[in-house]
Amino acid sequence: MSDIAIRVENISKRYRIGLAQSRPDTLRDLLMANIRRVGNLFRRGDNGDSDNLSHIWALKGVSFEVARGQVLGIVGRNGAGKSTLLKILSRVTDPTEGFGEIHGRVGSLLEVGTGFHPELSGRENIYLNGAILGMRREEIDRKFDEIVDFSEVEKFIDTPVKRYSSGMYLRLAFAVAAHLEPEILVVDEVLAVGDAEFQRKCLGKMSDVAQEGRTVLFVSHNMSAIQRLTQETIVLDQGKIVMRAPTTEAVDFYLNMGLTKQGERFWEPEERSDAKSRFVPVALRVLNPAGEVVDTVKAAEGFAIELEYNLKVPISGLRVGLYMMTTRGEYVFTSFDTDEREKFEDFTNRDAGHYISRCFIPPNLMNEGRYVLGVNASVYRIQRFFQDDKALTFTVDATGAPGMQWPEQRLGPVRPKLNWQIELKEK
Amino acid sequence: MESTRPKSNNLPVITLKPSKGWLAVDFKELWRYRELVFFLTWRDIKVRYKQAVLGIGWAILQPLLTVLIFTVIFGILLETPSQDLPYPLFALSALLPWQLFATALQRSSVSLVGNANLITKIYFPRLAIPLSTVFAALVDFGVSLVVLFGVMAYYRYWPTWNTLWLVPIVLLTILTALAVGLWFSALNVQYRDIQHMVPFIIQVWMYASPIVYPIETIPAGIWRVLYGLNPMVGVIQGFRWALLGGSPPDLTMLISVGVVLVLFVSGLYYFRRMEKTFADIV
């Protein structure tokens, strides 16, 4: 009994659709809804079941146990219920159904810098943020120097954090959070920010925490971070645990979940540039070598990107372009479907019809990470028919990439396999 | 709902389960989070006067300038009776508790929404947020109280034993602000209409309190009793009496206290009931 840190049984969480994201109701809506409800009283056949349509289950019947000192990974696509689960475990929100028991204090790192105030100095924010994260004042006093040291912002400790660079801000925020000492630490995507150097530092701190024998729940989209830090991982999908297994196995299962609906972007009729438009985008997809639409591709295997579109009328001089960017907005490359002379001659004048422009990204080109695809259709210097700078994001996984014998993150968006030669000139 | 009980291995055990019905306030837990309340209060004060040249001086200037306006309009132009007190003193002695109340109410009403980023990320007793805004207003009040004593000295009014009554009266003031603030802040999480209504409510409330005019303006009898349902009537009347003498608090004070208690207890329960949904709907 005493070696269990977390036990949850049949935890479910129901949200009203739109409630979490959109503007809350106004009194007027409430009045209108009440009037409608009163009206419904006189209508037969309305048994109130329609109410269920406006709810979704973010989590449904989730049960698991975590042993004390275990570092457990949680993976799943956006909307799979990861954040909801962490929010329930850290008591930010109540489960709608179910029961759970947590042995020990929970510290949550749901987002670094929560509660930071831009007007306050670094010093003041350390105390404020520490208190918000549940540290006692004397505890902060004791660790103050250590925190400042870790953050590397000593010189600016009495400057308002609004004058900090984003890097300094993140370092300070992570430094405070990293010095929490709860028995159970819940970590959500903290490694998704900052530069590579800083990410490495965070990762190092996380594994220290794990080695100290504390229980850690670690959520990330970064599969290599999950693999480095955890031995066992839970895969969540549509609010349910679909697998719990040793991390390598679980990650593999997650990356290959065939039912993926991501890796694909459709444009709804109203999103297309306009009704009279001559160029009508239909979908943008990321495909693995087997031709399946996927959210995560393996750098070592190469992948394809395709844009499906309709031309309402013939267009001469059309070029369809693809931009790849990092999630921090740096361009990796720009490429057009008629870059090659041969394609330029054959396709620069296109008849009306239904088209797919597909390009292949060679194996061992991209580094691991999350990337953003932008698309554009234009006639050079004449007219732009369509542009979407953030059409789709996808993940590149480094499994099998060159240099994986060293489990570190590589700088830069490309990770090419280069033909190295090593010569022994003298001995 | 959570309960925390010590285990044999000294680790607190937290239970997670759906919360149902009306919950009492967990004062023990609130006490454990007192440092958070302190730091949130401190943040509010600190941030408010950052990058203002006059800084905390505004807490002095605001009541002085308001009294100046009141004195010119109501004292000099309209010749409003002022219980035989110099009009500036008459107005200031009411303005102080009123500003404490208005500031605390206004800030606490929007406090939960203003701290949405905390509420959706971290667990702590949500009461800490409106509480800290009320405490922060108390600091402003403390500063302007010095001004009031200065003005009293100028008009040769000196503190008496009655002045000690200020303590329970100030307590009643913040209790009133908190009582209404709890209702408004919790309602505002779901219905943002509240934050648009609050400035008007405060304005109407001010003219429904004996600040620019004496309580005697309201006809005695049933009207006075109804008037007393406004808890700020008792507060202001008591505050003036404690400092400057004149008509002592009467039955209206008792009505005021009763109204505040009802509002406060119901506000606490409503807040606790809604607390668990804040993170989902804010």
Side-chain angles (χ1 to χ4, degrees):
Chain A
M1 182 66 201
S2 67
D3 53 358
I4 294 295
I6 300 172
R7 186 167 63 90
V8 297
E9 276 170 23
N10 263 317
I11 290 269
S12 299
K13 176 74 186 181
R14 192 179 61 181
Y15 280 112
R16 263 173 70 186
I17 287 177
L19 207 62
Q21 290 88 18
S22 68
R23 295 281 305 165
D25 314 346
T26 59
L27 278 176
R28 194 175 63 97
D29 293 341
L30 181 75
L31 292 176
M32 290 311 292
N34 280 327
I35 290 167
R36 245 175 276 134
R37 202 170 303 153
V38 170
N40 284 343
L41 287 178
F42 302 101
R43 222 168 288 154
R44 289 184 59 89
D46 184 17
N47 49 14
D49 272 355
S50 62
D51 232 31
N52 290 334
L53 295 174
S54 58
H55 291 100
I56 50 158
W57 290 94
L59 280 182
K60 190 76 183 136
V62 168
S63 309
F64 64 93
E65 281 183 3
V66 185
R68 186 173 313 290
Q70 187 180 7
V71 182
L72 183 71
I74 300 174
V75 299
R77 287 193 302 267
N78 292 329
K82 301 182 302 272
S83 302
T84 306
L85 179 60
L86 294 198
K87 279 185 178 179
I88 290 173
L89 292 178
S90 54
R91 292 202 287 163
V92 166
T93 186
D94 260 4
T96 312
E97 288 170 4
F99 172 82
E101 240 183 14
I102 293 180
H103 298 251
R105 287 175 307 158
V106 181
S108 48
L109 262 164
L110 296 196
E111 198 174 281
V112 285
T114 298
F116 260 48
H117 200 288
E119 298 284 348
L120 298 177
S121 73
R123 180 188 304 277
E124 290 163 340
N125 267 310
I126 290 178
Y127 279 93
L128 176 65
N129 194 230
I132 287 169
L133 294 176
M135 277 194 249
R136 306 198 144 275
R137 194 178 181 158
E138 44 95 18
E139 200 178 339
I140 307 171
D141 282 335
R142 191 152 38 80
K143 290 187 186 154
F144 187 82
D145 293 333
E146 212 180 314
I147 292 173
V148 176
D149 212 43
F150 187 88
S151 68
E152 302 167 13
V153 297
E154 299 94 318
K155 263 192 253 169
F156 308 98
I157 200 66
D158 290 308
T159 310
V161 296
K162 66 178 174 184
R163 311 227 187 280
Y164 280 26
S165 73
S166 56
M168 288 159 64
Y169 185 92
L170 284 171
R171 283 207 299 276
L172 184 65
F174 186 85
V176 181
H179 288 81
L180 278 170
E181 278 179 356
E183 286 86 14
I184 298 162
L185 192 61
V186 170
V187 185
D188 189 3
E189 282 301 346
V190 285
L191 302 170
V193 292
D195 55 28
E197 175 59 34
F198 177 64
Q199 289 193 0
R200 198 164 18 240
K201 202 168 170 181
C202 297
L203 217 55
K205 185 76 193 174
M206 293 306 307
S207 53
D208 287 354
V209 168
Q211 271 152 29
E212 282 163 20
R214 277 187 267 163
T215 313
V216 183
L217 289 190
F218 184 64
V219 168
S220 185
H221 282 115
N222 183 337
M223 290 305 130
S224 51
I226 291 264
Q227 282 176 326
R228 268 167 246 177
L229 287 178
T230 69
Q231 282 82 50
E232 204 182 10
T233 294
I234 283 176
V235 183
L236 276 178
D237 190 47
Q238 295 176 353
K240 294 185 177 125
I241 293 182
V242 290
M243 177 175 246
R244 178 175 180 164
T247 297
T248 344
E249 203 179 311
V251 166
D252 214 47
F253 174 81
Y254 166 64
L255 293 180
N256 290 312
M257 281 203 296
L259 32 144
T260 178
K261 274 282 169 270
Q262 288 189 0
E264 187 164 30
R265 161 71 189 269
F266 289 100
W267 280 275
E268 300 298 323
E270 62 268 23
E271 283 180 281
R272 298 168 188 167
S273 18
D274 67 74
K276 286 174 294 195
S277 172
R278 293 183 274 171
F279 177 98
V280 183
V282 177
L284 178 69
R285 302 184 186 94
V286 175
L287 307 164
N288 67 11
E292 296 157 345
V293 176
V294 286
D295 176 57
T296 302
V297 292
K298 287 190 173 138
E301 293 179 352
F303 54 98
I305 300 166
E306 66 176 31
L307 179 68
E308 186 181 344
Y309 52 94
N310 285 307
L311 298 187
K312 293 274 188 63
V313 292
I315 299 178
S316 63
L318 180 73
R319 56 177 198 174
V320 173
L322 189 68
Y323 307 90
M324 195 179 299
M325 280 164 282
T326 66
T327 46
R328 272 176 288 151
E330 302 150 340
Y331 282 93
V332 180
F333 64 75
T334 306
S335 183
F336 291 96
D337 62 348
T338 49
D339 279 350
E340 273 181 82
R341 178 145 305 275
E342 209 176 287
K343 298 276 182 345
F344 180 71
E345 281 161 6
D346 291 351
F347 287 101
T348 198
N349 297 317
R350 275 178 243 193
D351 291 334
H354 183 189
Y355 288 85
I356 287 181
S357 290
R358 184 183 302 122
C359 70
F360 296 94
I361 310 295
N364 294 316
L365 172 66
M366 306 300 296
N367 196 357
E368 65 185 312
R370 198 138 177 97
Y371 293 92
V372 182
L373 288 177
V375 290
N376 153 303
S378 60
V379 176
Y380 179 59
R381 286 202 167 162
I382 307 283
Q383 194 178 0
R384 190 167 69 201
F385 300 106
F386 176 74
Q387 172 139 2
D388 188 338
D389 289 333
K390 291 194 178 69
L392 180 63
T393 62
F394 70 102
T395 302
V396 174
D397 177 65
T399 310
M404 281 306 277
Q405 61 268 43
W406 300 292
E408 60 180 354
Q409 271 195 319
R410 295 260 167 127
L411 297 174
V414 294
R415 186 173 191 155
K417 186 174 186 172
L418 300 178
N419 191 8
W420 281 89
Q421 294 179 342
I422 304 174
E423 290 173 21
L424 177 64
K425 298 292 269 190
E426 214 179 318
K427 191 167 179 177
Chain B
M1 194 191 102
E2 303 85 26
S3 58
T4 311
R5 61 196 150 86
K7 286 286 284 191
S8 49
N9 49 15
N10 286 328
L11 286 179
V13 175
I14 300 154
T15 311
L16 312 169
K17 58 182 182 203
S19 54
K20 291 211 176 71
W22 302 89
L23 309 171
V25 180
D26 189 345
F27 287 105
K28 243 194 259 167
E29 185 185 39
L30 200 57
W31 178 247
R32 275 206 309 279
Y33 278 88
R34 64 191 179 278
E35 282 191 349
L36 178 63
V37 177
F38 168 80
F39 275 111
L40 289 174
T41 307
W42 169 83
R43 174 194 70 177
D44 272 14
I45 299 162
K46 200 99 192 184
V47 167
R48 201 175 323 147
Y49 296 115
K50 275 252 162 139
Q51 256 192 32
V53 178
L54 293 180
I56 198 97
W58 282 109
I60 297 172
L61 273 181
Q62 273 170 350
L64 281 183
L65 292 175
T66 315
V67 160
L68 187 70
I69 297 167
F70 283 174
T71 306
V72 170
I73 296 175
F74 298 103
I76 299 172
L77 296 177
L78 295 176
E79 293 178 2
T80 311
S82 55
Q83 296 174 332
D84 299 325
L85 295 166
Y87 193 86
L89 201 52
F90 171 80
L92 192 60
S93 61
L95 203 61
L96 245 60
W98 173 257
Q99 281 193 336
L100 169 62
F101 169 76
T103 313
L105 173 58
Q106 204 263 319
R107 296 234 171 86
S108 61
S109 298
V110 296
S111 62
L112 287 174
V113 171
N115 286 291
N117 62 332
L118 291 188
I119 291 175
T120 53
K121 302 267 159 54
I122 311 239
Y123 173 80
F124 54 88
R126 303 324 189 189
L127 267 175
I129 287 180
L131 258 186
S132 65
T133 56
V134 170
F135 288 148
L138 208 52
V139 173
D140 276 359
F141 171 78
V143 173
S144 39
L145 200 59
V146 176
V147 180
L148 176 62
F149 281 119
V151 175
M152 278 171 61
Y154 175 82
Y155 285 107
R156 311 253 168 263
Y157 280 86
W158 308 109
T160 62
W161 282 113
N162 272 347
T163 311
L164 287 180
W165 279 101
L166 283 190
V167 177
I169 290 167
V170 168
L171 208 65
L172 183 63
T173 315
I174 59 174
L175 209 61
T176 313
L178 198 57
V180 185
L182 285 176
W183 275 103
F184 282 1
S185 59
L187 280 167
N188 193 36
V189 169
Q190 186 152 17
Y191 307 110
R192 296 294 145 86
D193 309 69
I194 297 296
Q195 67 195 41
H196 302 290
M197 280 159 55
V198 166
F200 297 105
I201 293 173
I202 290 180
Q203 211 168 7
V204 170
W205 203 325
M206 187 185 103
Y207 289 108
S209 309
I211 298 168
V212 296
Y213 56 85
I215 188 168
E216 286 79 17
T217 312
I218 308 297
I222 183 71
W223 290 113
R224 191 77 66 81
V225 173
L226 282 178
Y227 189 63
L229 286 177
N230 167 6
M232 287 309 286
V233 170
V235 164
I236 288 166
Q237 203 193 356
F239 200 89
R240 250 188 206 131
W241 163 79
L243 281 172
L244 311 168
S247 43
D250 47 16
L251 183 69
T252 45
M253 191 72 168
L254 275 182
I255 301 173
S256 296
V257 172
V259 170
V260 170
L261 284 182
V262 170
L263 278 176
F264 184 68
V265 172
S266 61
L268 270 183
Y269 273 94
Y270 181 69
F271 192 92
R272 284 286 290 169
R273 187 182 167 82
M274 301 310 287
E275 187 175 44
K276 278 301 177 172
T277 66
F278 290 164
D280 297 340
I281 57 181
V282 70

